[in-house]
Amino acid sequence: MSGDETPAHGGHPDPVVEAFFDLHHDLPRQGPGSDATTRRMLAAAGPLPERPRVLDAGCGPGRSTLLLAEEADARVTAVDLHQPFLDDLAAEVARRGLGGQVTVVNASMDRLPFADGGFDVIWAEGSVYTVGFDVALRAWRRLLAPGGMLVITEIEWTAPDPAPAARAYWDAVYPLRTHAANVEAARAAGYRVAAHWPLPESDWWDEYYTPLTQRIARADLRRPGMPQALAELKAEIAMRREHGGAYTYAAYLLRPHHPASPTTENGSTVTTWTTRPETPEDVPAIRDVLLAAFPTPEEAGIVDALRADPEAWIDGLSLVTTAPDGAVVGQALLTRCHVDGEPALALAPCAVLPAVQRSGAGTAAIRAALDAAGAGGENLVLVLGHPAYYPRFGFAPASGFGIRAPFEVPDEAMMALALDESRPVPTGTIRYSAAFGV
């Protein structure tokens, strides 16, 4: 498997590694990916600070670095161990007039020489495997500024029982885990999954395996290390052709999960909140939040009715936000609804105590609920709400999906979100639980 950072750490150059680099020199990409995927991850990262500070870890010759600098106006620190890649990137940076935005650094991804809290985003496309998912998450967490995030791609199993040949191959090269196992590893390392989706098959072939195959056909077999490098790459490509349905590269957007603590940003206090699933002991406190947040007790009654409806209630999808003392200050609830008979989720209600409004407590609960839904295999989420608020989570008008409310409502207020855009979304009319009274 090839990526953007050599696993060698100094010493005499390995002829096989050097042959790998020779085969990858000047290819559009050094691993599966595309500019379209880079842009999609950038959009999913949400609004970034002005001129965000980005660390591109395992940057290779800098395809992502250049896009981030030009399209996100980012200040990018591009890190790799292979100096020729960095030299090529530096030359292209100069040609494009980006010298004030891009800094190249020769360093290993697991020993980064940067101060804590120095980056708004850490970016790694096709390179995490060189140090390992768990090592990267642990080593990089300290580098993120408050509100920062990791944007990475990781290879993982998609089949519950892959063919023995596929498992044997990857066990020897880079042992893979399932999405659920990677989510658990991310949580254990102190992150929550803000977004996840598999890369399209075109990301494997259009800019990587097809150009690489053409390069392999012209390779000089007399070069030291080249026969072994060719054999390994041919085996990798053949494995993808034969067993590609069993594994994929997937995009992960990860945010550090901290206990609630106040920080200062632009002179105002910002709180990073703790979220967790509802417990039976939380029910009275949740009712108090709902009664305080809404002008009538109607929403509190709806939640009680939903909790009593086994066809609507899904354990683990009522998420609460808690203060440092453990008190419940907010809730986001997802319950079962249907679109033309197919299962979906309704996001409602969402509430926080008036004293903590506009502090991020509601946003934290909603993101946690969406993360939990995605980890549980859910896909379609629907919300009737303010069109200026919910798009930050990825919601868009439901009419664009061919979905409509069972009552008159402004088009922009009825919104939908597909947690996994590779899966089909039903079309038709929404049917809510009877608890909503519609």
Side-chain angles (χ1 to χ4, degrees):
M1 181 169 148
S2 300
D4 290 347
E5 179 180 284
T6 172
H9 294 279
H12 188 73
D14 184 327
V16 177
V17 171
E18 293 301 306
F20 270 110
F21 281 126
D22 182 64
L23 289 166
H24 286 82
H25 185 68
D26 286 338
L27 288 183
R29 293 224 167 221
Q30 285 67 49
S34 65
D35 287 352
T37 289
T38 302
R39 291 188 178 102
R40 181 179 176 188
M41 293 195 298
L42 180 60
L48 297 176
E50 185 176 355
R51 302 201 71 196
R53 300 162 299 169
V54 178
L55 170 64
D56 189 356
C59 64
R63 186 73 171 260
S64 299
T65 296
L66 296 166
L67 189 151
L68 292 165
E70 291 185 325
E71 299 188 15
D73 195 27
R75 292 168 290 168
V76 187
T77 301
V79 172
D80 204 276
L81 274 175
H82 189 55
Q83 190 61 42
F85 279 162
L86 297 176
D87 293 341
D88 289 347
L89 173 56
E92 185 63 16
V93 165
R95 189 186 73 80
R96 300 192 190 192
L98 297 171
Q101 289 182 247
V102 177
T103 302
V104 300
V105 177
N106 189 307
S108 176
M109 295 196 303
D110 59 345
R111 295 192 297 274
L112 293 169
F114 306 117
D116 293 359
F119 297 97
D120 302 302
V121 180
I122 298 178
W123 200 278
E125 287 190 64
S127 59
V128 165
Y129 87 93
T130 61
V131 296
F133 191 71
D134 296 343
V135 170
L137 267 56
R138 289 194 301 270
W140 297 349
R141 194 172 187 271
R142 69 173 182 84
L143 301 173
L144 287 171
M149 72 185 315
L150 301 186
V151 181
I152 65 178
T153 61
E154 168 69 337
I155 190 167
E156 61 191 21
W157 292 120
T158 55
D161 188 21
R167 185 172 290 281
Y169 174 83
W170 285 110
D171 282 351
V173 174
Y174 180 68
L176 306 187
R177 294 188 294 214
T178 63
H179 168 55
N182 279 332
V183 169
E184 184 57 36
R187 288 176 175 167
Y191 299 86
R192 63 178 181 81
V193 180
H196 167 271
W197 65 85
L199 273 58
E201 189 67 12
S202 58
D203 275 17
W204 291 81
W205 295 99
D206 290 358
E207 294 189 68
Y208 184 47
Y209 279 158
T210 297
L212 180 59
T213 299
Q214 295 167 351
R215 180 69 57 82
I216 287 171
R218 304 193 302 268
D220 183 1
L221 291 171
R222 297 168 298 179
R223 173 170 178 161
M226 186 61 73
Q228 183 179 341
L230 290 175
E232 292 181 18
L233 288 172
K234 287 178 180 179
E236 178 184 331
I237 294 170
M239 181 58 57
R240 185 67 193 173
R241 287 199 179 100
E242 295 172 18
H243 300 287
Y247 58 94
T248 189
Y249 254 105
Y252 278 88
L253 277 68
L254 305 174
R255 293 188 182 276
H257 181 76
H258 301 285
S261 58
T263 60
T264 300
E265 183 176 296
N266 297 326
S268 60
T269 299
V270 179
T271 301
T272 302
W273 293 98
T274 298
T275 57
R276 59 171 173 76
E278 167 188 316
T279 67
E281 292 74 21
D282 296 325
V283 171
I286 292 171
R287 184 172 179 82
D288 289 343
V289 169
L290 294 166
L291 291 173
F294 294 102
T296 74
E298 181 180 1
E299 282 76 11
I302 289 173
V303 171
D304 289 341
L306 288 167
R307 199 177 280 115
D309 182 354
E311 294 185 1
W313 190 262
I314 303 172
D315 288 339
L317 293 189
S318 172
L319 277 295
V320 297
T321 305
T322 60
D325 63 359
V328 173
V329 299
Q331 182 208 27
L333 177 61
L334 290 165
T335 54
R336 177 67 68 214
C337 66
H338 293 82
V339 174
D340 197 28
E342 296 296 320
L345 295 174
L347 175 58
C350 302
V352 296
L353 291 174
V356 298
Q357 287 179 357
R358 298 180 179 86
S359 69
T363 295
I366 293 170
R367 290 196 186 280
L370 295 176
D371 290 349
E378 299 286 347
N379 186 27
L380 179 62
V381 183
L382 303 161
V383 65
L384 176 61
H386 201 294
Y389 179 75
Y390 287 97
R392 72 185 64 184
F393 305 101
F395 285 93
S399 59
F401 294 81
I403 297 169
R404 56 188 177 275
F407 42 77
E408 289 296 323
V409 62
D411 182 72
E412 66 274 14
M414 189 72 248
M415 290 169 276
L417 168 65
L419 298 173
D420 181 349
E421 294 185 7
S422 69
R423 293 168 55 185
V425 171
T427 62
T429 302
I430 304 165
R431 179 172 61 83
Y432 289 100
S433 164
F436 287 103
V438 296

